[in-house]
Amino acid sequence: MRSLIDIAQLSISEIDALLEKANDIIDNPSKYAEKCKGKKLATLFFEPSTRTRLSFEAAMYELGGNVLGFSEAQSSSSAKGESVADTAKTVSCYADIIAMRHPKEGAPLVASLNASIPVINAGDGGHNHPTQTLTDLLTIKREKGGFENITVGFCGDLKFGRTVHSLITALRRYNNVKFIFISPNELKIPEYVRESLKSDKVDFVETTDLEAVMGTLDVLYMTRVQRERFFNEEEYLRLKDSYILTPEKLENAKSDLSIMHPLPRVNEISVAIDSDPRACYFKQVLNGKYVRMALILMLLEVE
Ligand code: CP
């Protein structure tokens, strides 16, 4: 029995196999329509979500399985003080696999250590979001053909953005990937990420100037400033609109740039960009369902 808590738990060949499976599901959906008949996915969401929870649920339904769960902590017994460990043991009696989102970093890991069924981390605090990373990797693979020899710009809240941390962890393992981190000084990548990249001699630069680097990027990964992680509302209000991508700012961008965003967006990408053929963020939304179908099959060991 295996869980997925951190994207680093998957080898490059396992990621390749998952992406290949997701592409096969896209091409041959009927082949997979009954693969999880009789199986149940529990979605335990202690924090708000639209895409992750609904794509997990759609994924399980499209595999012929069923779904149970809750979408907010207040409607579960955690509101009465039940621990994550006891919740995981309890849900193991009712379901075959768990997808858990929690505001506390490490909560899905605690669940996995106490559950008797696989647990998938659907986002823990500002830490990790491995299934968003699989979504992002599938999107990059489909748009760029692979992960080598690309320059990836991450822009916005690189301090609290868990999707950023997970995607860096995944992409740094490929050859000749260059990272450009674009953020206000207050929202730079965490020190542990910077030190780890330096010690492994991964090529990266940090800047506050998006337009200065725009022309060098193959992928631009925009992010929302994570209001829910700030202790100080004034600081959030000061930083929230640090970067707003508009058509004018794309003037020097490559013609095959892929513009990504894990969503939800607030103001970071003007809606005028949505009709630009380089916009990939709604493709990511759809890819998220297929890659989660592939992951459920892998963790339930369904061929
Ligand atoms: N990308 C993402 O995690 O979106 P949700 O918060 O809507 O699940």
Short mmCIF file of all heavy atoms in Angstrom, two decimals, residues 179-243:
data_model
loop_
_atom_site.label_atom_id
_atom_site.label_comp_id
_atom_site.label_asym_id
_atom_site.label_seq_id
_atom_site.Cartn_x
_atom_site.Cartn_y
_atom_site.Cartn_z
N PHE A 179 15.68 27.95 -13.96
CA PHE A 179 14.57 28.60 -13.25
C PHE A 179 14.82 30.10 -13.13
O PHE A 179 15.93 30.52 -12.80
CB PHE A 179 14.44 28.03 -11.82
CG PHE A 179 14.07 26.58 -11.76
CD1 PHE A 179 14.90 25.65 -11.13
CD2 PHE A 179 12.87 26.12 -12.30
CE1 PHE A 179 14.56 24.31 -11.05
CE2 PHE A 179 12.52 24.78 -12.23
CZ PHE A 179 13.36 23.87 -11.60
N ILE A 180 13.77 30.88 -13.38
CA ILE A 180 13.83 32.32 -13.09
C ILE A 180 12.70 32.61 -12.09
O ILE A 180 11.51 32.37 -12.40
CB ILE A 180 13.68 33.16 -14.36
CG1 ILE A 180 14.80 32.77 -15.34
CG2 ILE A 180 13.73 34.65 -14.02
CD1 ILE A 180 14.95 33.66 -16.55
N PHE A 181 13.07 33.07 -10.91
CA PHE A 181 12.10 33.32 -9.85
C PHE A 181 11.82 34.82 -9.80
O PHE A 181 12.72 35.62 -9.49
CB PHE A 181 12.64 32.83 -8.51
CG PHE A 181 12.93 31.35 -8.48
CD1 PHE A 181 14.17 30.86 -8.08
CD2 PHE A 181 11.96 30.44 -8.87
CE1 PHE A 181 14.43 29.50 -8.06
CE2 PHE A 181 12.21 29.06 -8.85
CZ PHE A 181 13.46 28.60 -8.45
N ILE A 182 10.58 35.20 -10.09
CA ILE A 182 10.19 36.61 -10.17
C ILE A 182 9.19 36.89 -9.04
O ILE A 182 8.08 36.35 -9.04
CB ILE A 182 9.52 36.90 -11.54
CG1 ILE A 182 10.39 36.38 -12.69
CG2 ILE A 182 9.21 38.39 -11.68
CD1 ILE A 182 9.67 35.56 -13.72
N SER A 183 9.60 37.71 -8.09
CA SER A 183 8.71 37.96 -6.95
C SER A 183 9.13 39.25 -6.26
O SER A 183 10.27 39.70 -6.40
CB SER A 183 8.81 36.81 -5.94
OG SER A 183 10.06 36.84 -5.30
N PRO A 184 8.22 39.83 -5.46
CA PRO A 184 8.66 40.91 -4.57
C PRO A 184 9.64 40.32 -3.56
O PRO A 184 9.60 39.11 -3.28
CB PRO A 184 7.37 41.35 -3.86
CG PRO A 184 6.26 40.55 -4.41
CD PRO A 184 6.80 39.48 -5.29
N ASN A 185 10.49 41.15 -2.99
CA ASN A 185 11.49 40.63 -2.04
C ASN A 185 10.85 39.90 -0.87
O ASN A 185 11.39 38.94 -0.34
CB ASN A 185 12.35 41.79 -1.51
CG ASN A 185 13.32 42.24 -2.58
OD1 ASN A 185 13.81 41.42 -3.37
ND2 ASN A 185 13.58 43.54 -2.65
N GLU A 186 9.64 40.34 -0.49
CA GLU A 186 8.96 39.73 0.67
C GLU A 186 8.44 38.32 0.37
O GLU A 186 8.12 37.57 1.29
CB GLU A 186 7.77 40.59 1.11
CG GLU A 186 8.12 41.96 1.62
CD GLU A 186 8.24 43.00 0.50
OE1 GLU A 186 8.40 42.63 -0.68
OE2 GLU A 186 8.18 44.20 0.84
N LEU A 187 8.33 37.97 -0.91
CA LEU A 187 7.70 36.69 -1.28
C LEU A 187 8.64 35.81 -2.10
O LEU A 187 8.22 35.05 -2.98
CB LEU A 187 6.39 36.95 -2.04
CG LEU A 187 5.31 37.70 -1.25
CD1 LEU A 187 4.10 38.00 -2.12
CD2 LEU A 187 4.88 36.89 -0.02
N LYS A 188 9.93 35.91 -1.80
CA LYS A 188 10.92 35.08 -2.51
C LYS A 188 10.80 33.61 -2.11
O LYS A 188 10.20 33.30 -1.08
CB LYS A 188 12.33 35.60 -2.19
CG LYS A 188 12.61 36.95 -2.84
CD LYS A 188 13.84 37.58 -2.29
CE LYS A 188 15.07 37.15 -3.04
NZ LYS A 188 16.22 38.03 -2.72
N ILE A 189 11.40 32.74 -2.91
CA ILE A 189 11.38 31.31 -2.57
C ILE A 189 11.96 31.11 -1.16
O ILE A 189 12.87 31.84 -0.76
CB ILE A 189 12.17 30.44 -3.59
CG1 ILE A 189 13.59 30.99 -3.80
CG2 ILE A 189 11.42 30.27 -4.88
CD1 ILE A 189 14.50 30.02 -4.50
N PRO A 190 11.45 30.12 -0.42
CA PRO A 190 11.97 29.88 0.93
C PRO A 190 13.47 29.56 0.89
O PRO A 190 13.98 28.99 -0.08
CB PRO A 190 11.18 28.66 1.42
CG PRO A 190 9.97 28.60 0.55
CD PRO A 190 10.36 29.20 -0.77
N GLU A 191 14.14 29.88 1.98
CA GLU A 191 15.58 29.67 2.08
C GLU A 191 15.97 28.20 1.85
O GLU A 191 16.97 27.91 1.20
CB GLU A 191 16.05 30.14 3.47
CG GLU A 191 17.55 30.20 3.69
CD GLU A 191 18.26 31.16 2.73
OE1 GLU A 191 17.61 32.07 2.18
OE2 GLU A 191 19.47 30.96 2.53
N TYR A 192 15.13 27.27 2.36
CA TYR A 192 15.49 25.85 2.21
C TYR A 192 15.48 25.45 0.73
O TYR A 192 16.29 24.61 0.30
CB TYR A 192 14.57 24.94 3.06
CG TYR A 192 13.19 24.67 2.49
CD1 TYR A 192 12.95 23.58 1.64
CD2 TYR A 192 12.10 25.49 2.79
CE1 TYR A 192 11.69 23.34 1.13
CE2 TYR A 192 10.84 25.26 2.28
CZ TYR A 192 10.64 24.18 1.45
OH TYR A 192 9.39 23.95 0.93
N VAL A 193 14.60 26.06 -0.05
CA VAL A 193 14.56 25.75 -1.50
C VAL A 193 15.81 26.34 -2.17
O VAL A 193 16.49 25.66 -2.94
CB VAL A 193 13.28 26.33 -2.14
CG1 VAL A 193 13.30 26.12 -3.67
CG2 VAL A 193 12.02 25.70 -1.54
N ARG A 194 16.13 27.60 -1.82
CA ARG A 194 17.29 28.27 -2.42
C ARG A 194 18.58 27.50 -2.12
O ARG A 194 19.39 27.22 -3.00
CB ARG A 194 17.40 29.70 -1.89
CG ARG A 194 18.55 30.52 -2.50
CD ARG A 194 18.58 31.93 -1.97
NE ARG A 194 17.33 32.64 -2.19
CZ ARG A 194 16.42 32.89 -1.24
NH1 ARG A 194 16.63 32.51 0.01
NH2 ARG A 194 15.30 33.51 -1.54
N GLU A 195 18.75 27.12 -0.86
CA GLU A 195 19.99 26.43 -0.46
C GLU A 195 20.10 25.08 -1.15
O GLU A 195 21.18 24.65 -1.57
CB GLU A 195 20.04 26.27 1.07
CG GLU A 195 20.35 27.56 1.80
CD GLU A 195 21.57 28.30 1.21
OE1 GLU A 195 22.61 27.67 0.98
OE2 GLU A 195 21.44 29.51 0.93
N SER A 196 18.98 24.39 -1.25
CA SER A 196 18.99 23.07 -1.88
C SER A 196 19.33 23.19 -3.38
O SER A 196 20.12 22.39 -3.91
CB SER A 196 17.62 22.44 -1.66
OG SER A 196 17.46 21.37 -2.51
N LEU A 197 18.80 24.20 -4.05
CA LEU A 197 19.13 24.39 -5.48
C LEU A 197 20.60 24.73 -5.64
O LEU A 197 21.28 24.23 -6.54
CB LEU A 197 18.26 25.51 -6.08
CG LEU A 197 16.76 25.21 -6.20
CD1 LEU A 197 16.00 26.46 -6.65
CD2 LEU A 197 16.49 24.07 -7.17
N LYS A 198 21.10 25.60 -4.73
CA LYS A 198 22.52 25.99 -4.81
C LYS A 198 23.41 24.78 -4.60
O LYS A 198 24.38 24.57 -5.33
CB LYS A 198 22.83 27.02 -3.71
CG LYS A 198 22.56 28.44 -4.12
CD LYS A 198 23.09 29.36 -3.02
CE LYS A 198 22.54 30.76 -3.18
NZ LYS A 198 22.72 31.57 -1.98
N SER A 199 23.09 23.97 -3.59
CA SER A 199 23.99 22.85 -3.28
C SER A 199 23.98 21.81 -4.40
O SER A 199 24.97 21.12 -4.61
CB SER A 199 23.69 22.24 -1.92
OG SER A 199 22.57 21.43 -2.01
N ASP A 200 22.88 21.73 -5.15
CA ASP A 200 22.83 20.78 -6.28
C ASP A 200 23.22 21.44 -7.60
O ASP A 200 23.08 20.85 -8.66
CB ASP A 200 21.42 20.19 -6.41
CG ASP A 200 21.13 19.18 -5.33
OD1 ASP A 200 22.03 18.90 -4.52
OD2 ASP A 200 20.00 18.67 -5.28
N LYS A 201 23.69 22.72 -7.51
CA LYS A 201 24.15 23.46 -8.69
C LYS A 201 23.07 23.55 -9.78
O LYS A 201 23.34 23.43 -10.98
CB LYS A 201 25.44 22.86 -9.25
CG LYS A 201 26.58 22.86 -8.24
CD LYS A 201 27.92 22.71 -8.89
CE LYS A 201 29.11 22.86 -7.99
NZ LYS A 201 28.90 23.05 -6.56
N VAL A 202 21.82 23.73 -9.35
CA VAL A 202 20.73 23.96 -10.31
C VAL A 202 20.79 25.42 -10.73
O VAL A 202 21.02 26.31 -9.91
CB VAL A 202 19.35 23.64 -9.65
CG1 VAL A 202 18.21 23.95 -10.62
CG2 VAL A 202 19.30 22.18 -9.20
N ASP A 203 20.59 25.66 -12.04
CA ASP A 203 20.71 27.01 -12.60
C ASP A 203 19.45 27.83 -12.26
O ASP A 203 18.35 27.50 -12.71
CB ASP A 203 20.86 26.86 -14.12
CG ASP A 203 21.26 28.16 -14.80
OD1 ASP A 203 21.37 29.18 -14.11
OD2 ASP A 203 21.46 28.13 -16.03
N PHE A 204 19.60 28.88 -11.45
CA PHE A 204 18.45 29.75 -11.17
C PHE A 204 18.89 31.18 -10.94
O PHE A 204 20.03 31.44 -10.55
CB PHE A 204 17.64 29.23 -9.97
CG PHE A 204 18.27 29.48 -8.62
CD1 PHE A 204 17.93 30.61 -7.88
CD2 PHE A 204 19.19 28.59 -8.09
CE1 PHE A 204 18.50 30.84 -6.63
CE2 PHE A 204 19.76 28.81 -6.85
CZ PHE A 204 19.42 29.95 -6.11
N VAL A 205 17.97 32.12 -11.23
CA VAL A 205 18.19 33.52 -10.87
C VAL A 205 16.93 34.05 -10.20
O VAL A 205 15.83 33.52 -10.42
CB VAL A 205 18.54 34.41 -12.09
CG1 VAL A 205 19.85 34.03 -12.71
CG2 VAL A 205 17.44 34.36 -13.14
N GLU A 206 17.11 35.09 -9.39
CA GLU A 206 15.97 35.72 -8.72
C GLU A 206 15.92 37.18 -9.17
O GLU A 206 16.96 37.84 -9.26
CB GLU A 206 16.13 35.64 -7.20
CG GLU A 206 16.08 34.21 -6.69
CD GLU A 206 16.17 34.12 -5.18
OE1 GLU A 206 17.29 34.04 -4.65
OE2 GLU A 206 15.12 34.14 -4.52
N THR A 207 14.71 37.66 -9.43
CA THR A 207 14.54 39.04 -9.88
C THR A 207 13.18 39.56 -9.42
O THR A 207 12.29 38.75 -9.08
CB THR A 207 14.66 39.14 -11.42
OG1 THR A 207 14.45 40.49 -11.83
CG2 THR A 207 13.63 38.27 -12.12
N THR A 208 13.02 40.89 -9.45
CA THR A 208 11.69 41.45 -9.19
C THR A 208 11.04 41.91 -10.51
O THR A 208 9.89 42.33 -10.50
CB THR A 208 11.80 42.68 -8.25
OG1 THR A 208 12.70 43.63 -8.84
CG2 THR A 208 12.32 42.30 -6.87
N ASP A 209 11.78 41.84 -11.62
CA ASP A 209 11.35 42.48 -12.87
C ASP A 209 10.88 41.46 -13.91
O ASP A 209 11.69 40.86 -14.64
CB ASP A 209 12.54 43.30 -13.42
CG ASP A 209 12.13 44.21 -14.55
OD1 ASP A 209 11.02 44.02 -15.11
OD2 ASP A 209 12.93 45.10 -14.89
N LEU A 210 9.57 41.27 -14.00
CA LEU A 210 9.01 40.29 -14.94
C LEU A 210 9.31 40.66 -16.40
O LEU A 210 9.73 39.81 -17.19
CB LEU A 210 7.49 40.17 -14.72
CG LEU A 210 6.72 39.32 -15.73
CD1 LEU A 210 7.22 37.88 -15.74
CD2 LEU A 210 5.21 39.34 -15.42
N GLU A 211 9.10 41.93 -16.75
CA GLU A 211 9.27 42.31 -18.15
C GLU A 211 10.71 42.14 -18.64
O GLU A 211 10.95 41.82 -19.80
CB GLU A 211 8.78 43.74 -18.37
CG GLU A 211 7.25 43.77 -18.47
CD GLU A 211 6.68 45.13 -18.14
OE1 GLU A 211 6.55 45.43 -16.93
OE2 GLU A 211 6.37 45.87 -19.07
N ALA A 212 11.67 42.32 -17.73
CA ALA A 212 13.09 42.19 -18.13
C ALA A 212 13.44 40.77 -18.55
O ALA A 212 14.36 40.57 -19.35
CB ALA A 212 13.98 42.62 -16.97
N VAL A 213 12.73 39.77 -18.02
CA VAL A 213 13.08 38.37 -18.32
C VAL A 213 12.07 37.71 -19.26
O VAL A 213 12.27 36.58 -19.70
CB VAL A 213 13.22 37.54 -17.03
CG1 VAL A 213 14.36 38.06 -16.17
CG2 VAL A 213 11.93 37.51 -16.23
N MET A 214 10.99 38.42 -19.58
CA MET A 214 9.89 37.81 -20.33
C MET A 214 10.37 37.11 -21.61
O MET A 214 9.96 35.97 -21.91
CB MET A 214 8.86 38.90 -20.69
CG MET A 214 7.64 38.38 -21.40
SD MET A 214 6.66 37.29 -20.37
CE MET A 214 5.67 38.48 -19.47
N GLY A 215 11.25 37.75 -22.36
CA GLY A 215 11.67 37.21 -23.65
C GLY A 215 12.49 35.93 -23.57
O GLY A 215 12.69 35.26 -24.58
N THR A 216 12.96 35.58 -22.38
CA THR A 216 13.80 34.38 -22.23
C THR A 216 12.98 33.13 -21.86
O THR A 216 13.52 32.03 -21.84
CB THR A 216 14.85 34.58 -21.12
OG1 THR A 216 14.18 34.68 -19.86
CG2 THR A 216 15.67 35.85 -21.34
N LEU A 217 11.69 33.32 -21.54
CA LEU A 217 10.92 32.23 -20.93
C LEU A 217 10.26 31.30 -21.95
O LEU A 217 9.70 31.76 -22.95
CB LEU A 217 9.83 32.80 -20.03
CG LEU A 217 10.27 33.76 -18.92
CD1 LEU A 217 9.07 34.29 -18.15
CD2 LEU A 217 11.26 33.08 -17.98
N ASP A 218 10.31 29.99 -21.65
CA ASP A 218 9.52 29.01 -22.40
C ASP A 218 8.19 28.74 -21.69
O ASP A 218 7.19 28.42 -22.33
CB ASP A 218 10.31 27.69 -22.52
CG ASP A 218 11.61 27.89 -23.26
OD1 ASP A 218 11.57 28.34 -24.42
OD2 ASP A 218 12.69 27.65 -22.67
N VAL A 219 8.24 28.81 -20.36
CA VAL A 219 7.04 28.62 -19.54
C VAL A 219 6.99 29.76 -18.55
O VAL A 219 8.01 30.08 -17.91
CB VAL A 219 7.09 27.27 -18.77
CG1 VAL A 219 5.91 27.15 -17.80
CG2 VAL A 219 7.11 26.08 -19.72
N LEU A 220 5.83 30.38 -18.41
CA LEU A 220 5.63 31.39 -17.36
C LEU A 220 4.55 30.87 -16.43
O LEU A 220 3.40 30.67 -16.85
CB LEU A 220 5.20 32.73 -17.96
CG LEU A 220 4.77 33.81 -16.95
CD1 LEU A 220 5.88 34.12 -15.94
CD2 LEU A 220 4.34 35.08 -17.67
N TYR A 221 4.94 30.61 -15.17
CA TYR A 221 4.01 30.03 -14.19
C TYR A 221 3.61 31.14 -13.21
O TYR A 221 4.36 31.48 -12.31
CB TYR A 221 4.72 28.87 -13.47
CG TYR A 221 3.82 27.95 -12.67
CD1 TYR A 221 3.31 26.78 -13.24
CD2 TYR A 221 3.51 28.22 -11.34
CE1 TYR A 221 2.50 25.92 -12.51
CE2 TYR A 221 2.71 27.36 -10.61
CZ TYR A 221 2.21 26.21 -11.20
OH TYR A 221 1.42 25.35 -10.47
N MET A 222 2.45 31.73 -13.46
CA MET A 222 1.95 32.82 -12.61
C MET A 222 1.30 32.23 -11.36
O MET A 222 0.74 31.13 -11.41
CB MET A 222 0.91 33.67 -13.36
CG MET A 222 1.42 34.40 -14.58
SD MET A 222 2.66 35.67 -14.21
CE MET A 222 1.69 36.86 -13.25
N THR A 223 1.36 32.96 -10.25
CA THR A 223 0.72 32.46 -9.02
C THR A 223 -0.01 33.59 -8.31
O THR A 223 0.33 34.77 -8.46
CB THR A 223 1.76 31.87 -8.03
OG1 THR A 223 2.64 32.91 -7.63
CG2 THR A 223 2.53 30.73 -8.64
N ARG A 224 -0.97 33.18 -7.52
CA ARG A 224 -1.77 34.11 -6.69
C ARG A 224 -1.01 34.40 -5.40
O ARG A 224 -0.35 33.51 -4.84
CB ARG A 224 -3.09 33.38 -6.38
CG ARG A 224 -4.03 34.01 -5.41
CD ARG A 224 -5.29 33.13 -5.28
NE ARG A 224 -5.02 31.86 -4.63
CZ ARG A 224 -5.08 31.64 -3.31
NH1 ARG A 224 -5.42 32.61 -2.49
NH2 ARG A 224 -4.83 30.44 -2.82
N VAL A 225 -1.11 35.63 -4.93
CA VAL A 225 -0.57 35.93 -3.58
C VAL A 225 -1.54 35.29 -2.57
O VAL A 225 -2.75 35.54 -2.60
CB VAL A 225 -0.43 37.45 -3.37
CG1 VAL A 225 0.01 37.75 -1.94
CG2 VAL A 225 0.59 38.02 -4.36
N GLN A 226 -0.98 34.41 -1.71
CA GLN A 226 -1.79 33.51 -0.89
C GLN A 226 -2.28 34.20 0.39
O GLN A 226 -1.67 34.06 1.46
CB GLN A 226 -0.96 32.28 -0.52
CG GLN A 226 -0.30 31.59 -1.70
CD GLN A 226 -1.14 30.45 -2.23
OE1 GLN A 226 -1.50 29.55 -1.49
NE2 GLN A 226 -1.45 30.49 -3.50
N ARG A 227 -3.36 34.92 0.24
CA ARG A 227 -3.93 35.70 1.34
C ARG A 227 -4.05 34.89 2.64
O ARG A 227 -3.77 35.37 3.74
CB ARG A 227 -5.32 36.19 0.92
CG ARG A 227 -6.02 37.00 1.96
CD ARG A 227 -7.40 37.44 1.47
NE ARG A 227 -7.81 38.66 2.10
CZ ARG A 227 -8.69 39.50 1.59
NH1 ARG A 227 -9.24 39.25 0.43
NH2 ARG A 227 -9.03 40.59 2.25
N GLU A 228 -4.49 33.62 2.51
CA GLU A 228 -4.77 32.79 3.68
C GLU A 228 -3.52 32.43 4.49
O GLU A 228 -3.63 31.92 5.60
CB GLU A 228 -5.53 31.52 3.27
CG GLU A 228 -4.79 30.57 2.32
CD GLU A 228 -4.93 30.91 0.84
OE1 GLU A 228 -5.05 32.11 0.51
OE2 GLU A 228 -4.88 29.98 0.01
N ARG A 229 -2.32 32.68 3.92
CA ARG A 229 -1.09 32.34 4.64
C ARG A 229 -0.46 33.56 5.33
O ARG A 229 0.55 33.45 6.01
CB ARG A 229 -0.04 31.74 3.71
CG ARG A 229 -0.58 30.70 2.75
CD ARG A 229 -0.51 29.28 3.29
NE ARG A 229 -1.17 28.38 2.36
CZ ARG A 229 -2.20 27.60 2.62
NH1 ARG A 229 -2.71 27.55 3.84
NH2 ARG A 229 -2.73 26.83 1.70
N PHE A 230 -1.04 34.76 5.08
CA PHE A 230 -0.47 35.99 5.67
C PHE A 230 -0.96 36.17 7.10
O PHE A 230 -2.12 35.88 7.41
CB PHE A 230 -0.91 37.22 4.86
CG PHE A 230 -0.06 37.47 3.65
CD1 PHE A 230 -0.16 36.67 2.53
CD2 PHE A 230 0.86 38.51 3.64
CE1 PHE A 230 0.62 36.88 1.41
CE2 PHE A 230 1.65 38.74 2.52
CZ PHE A 230 1.53 37.93 1.40
N PHE A 231 -0.07 36.65 7.97
CA PHE A 231 -0.47 36.98 9.33
C PHE A 231 -0.99 38.41 9.40
O PHE A 231 -1.65 38.81 10.34
CB PHE A 231 0.71 36.80 10.30
CG PHE A 231 1.10 35.36 10.46
CD1 PHE A 231 2.30 34.88 9.97
CD2 PHE A 231 0.24 34.47 11.09
CE1 PHE A 231 2.65 33.54 10.11
CE2 PHE A 231 0.57 33.13 11.23
CZ PHE A 231 1.78 32.67 10.74
N ASN A 232 -0.64 39.21 8.39
CA ASN A 232 -0.88 40.64 8.44
C ASN A 232 -1.63 41.07 7.16
O ASN A 232 -1.08 41.02 6.06
CB ASN A 232 0.51 41.31 8.53
CG ASN A 232 0.44 42.80 8.57
OD1 ASN A 232 -0.51 43.40 8.08
ND2 ASN A 232 1.47 43.41 9.13
N GLU A 233 -2.91 41.46 7.32
CA GLU A 233 -3.75 41.82 6.16
C GLU A 233 -3.17 43.01 5.38
O GLU A 233 -3.23 43.05 4.15
CB GLU A 233 -5.17 42.12 6.66
CG GLU A 233 -6.18 42.53 5.59
CD GLU A 233 -6.65 41.38 4.67
OE1 GLU A 233 -6.21 40.23 4.86
OE2 GLU A 233 -7.43 41.68 3.75
N GLU A 234 -2.59 43.97 6.11
CA GLU A 234 -2.01 45.15 5.44
C GLU A 234 -0.89 44.76 4.49
O GLU A 234 -0.76 45.28 3.39
CB GLU A 234 -1.43 46.11 6.49
CG GLU A 234 -2.37 47.20 6.88
CD GLU A 234 -1.79 48.07 7.97
OE1 GLU A 234 -0.58 48.32 7.96
OE2 GLU A 234 -2.59 48.46 8.84
N GLU A 235 -0.07 43.81 4.95
CA GLU A 235 1.04 43.32 4.12
C GLU A 235 0.48 42.64 2.86
O GLU A 235 0.98 42.83 1.75
CB GLU A 235 1.87 42.32 4.95
CG GLU A 235 3.01 41.65 4.22
CD GLU A 235 4.31 42.39 4.32
OE1 GLU A 235 4.28 43.63 4.49
OE2 GLU A 235 5.36 41.73 4.21
N TYR A 236 -0.59 41.86 3.04
CA TYR A 236 -1.22 41.20 1.89
C TYR A 236 -1.73 42.26 0.89
O TYR A 236 -1.47 42.16 -0.32
CB TYR A 236 -2.38 40.30 2.34
CG TYR A 236 -3.27 39.90 1.19
CD1 TYR A 236 -2.83 38.97 0.23
CD2 TYR A 236 -4.52 40.49 1.00
CE1 TYR A 236 -3.62 38.65 -0.87
CE2 TYR A 236 -5.31 40.18 -0.10
CZ TYR A 236 -4.86 39.25 -1.02
OH TYR A 236 -5.63 38.95 -2.12
N LEU A 237 -2.42 43.26 1.41
CA LEU A 237 -3.00 44.29 0.53
C LEU A 237 -1.91 45.04 -0.24
O LEU A 237 -2.07 45.39 -1.41
CB LEU A 237 -3.86 45.26 1.33
CG LEU A 237 -5.14 44.63 1.92
CD1 LEU A 237 -5.85 45.61 2.85
CD2 LEU A 237 -6.09 44.17 0.81
N ARG A 238 -0.77 45.22 0.41
CA ARG A 238 0.35 45.93 -0.23
C ARG A 238 0.96 45.10 -1.36
O ARG A 238 1.41 45.63 -2.37
CB ARG A 238 1.40 46.25 0.85
CG ARG A 238 2.53 47.17 0.39
CD ARG A 238 3.38 47.62 1.57
NE ARG A 238 4.06 46.54 2.25
CZ ARG A 238 5.15 45.92 1.79
NH1 ARG A 238 5.68 46.27 0.64
NH2 ARG A 238 5.71 44.95 2.48
N LEU A 239 0.96 43.78 -1.19
CA LEU A 239 1.67 42.91 -2.14
C LEU A 239 0.78 42.24 -3.19
O LEU A 239 1.28 41.71 -4.18
CB LEU A 239 2.43 41.82 -1.37
CG LEU A 239 3.55 42.31 -0.47
CD1 LEU A 239 4.07 41.19 0.41
CD2 LEU A 239 4.70 42.89 -1.30
N LYS A 240 -0.53 42.25 -2.96
CA LYS A 240 -1.40 41.35 -3.74
C LYS A 240 -1.37 41.62 -5.25
O LYS A 240 -1.53 40.69 -6.04
CB LYS A 240 -2.84 41.38 -3.22
CG LYS A 240 -3.62 42.65 -3.51
CD LYS A 240 -4.99 42.57 -2.86
CE LYS A 240 -5.79 43.82 -3.01
NZ LYS A 240 -6.27 44.12 -4.34
N ASP A 241 -1.17 42.86 -5.65
CA ASP A 241 -1.17 43.15 -7.09
C ASP A 241 0.24 43.45 -7.61
O ASP A 241 0.40 44.24 -8.55
CB ASP A 241 -2.12 44.33 -7.37
CG ASP A 241 -3.57 43.92 -7.15
OD1 ASP A 241 -3.90 42.73 -7.36
OD2 ASP A 241 -4.37 44.79 -6.75
N SER A 242 1.22 42.79 -7.04
CA SER A 242 2.61 43.04 -7.45
C SER A 242 2.81 42.75 -8.94
O SER A 242 3.58 43.43 -9.62
CB SER A 242 3.57 42.15 -6.66
OG SER A 242 3.50 42.45 -5.30
N TYR A 243 2.16 41.72 -9.44
CA TYR A 243 2.31 41.36 -10.85
C TYR A 243 0.93 41.10 -11.46
O TYR A 243 0.17 40.29 -10.93
CB TYR A 243 3.17 40.09 -11.01
CG TYR A 243 4.55 40.28 -10.43
CD1 TYR A 243 4.83 39.85 -9.13
CD2 TYR A 243 5.55 40.91 -11.15
CE1 TYR A 243 6.08 40.06 -8.57
CE2 TYR A 243 6.80 41.11 -10.61
CZ TYR A 243 7.06 40.69 -9.32
OH TYR A 243 8.30 40.90 -8.77
#
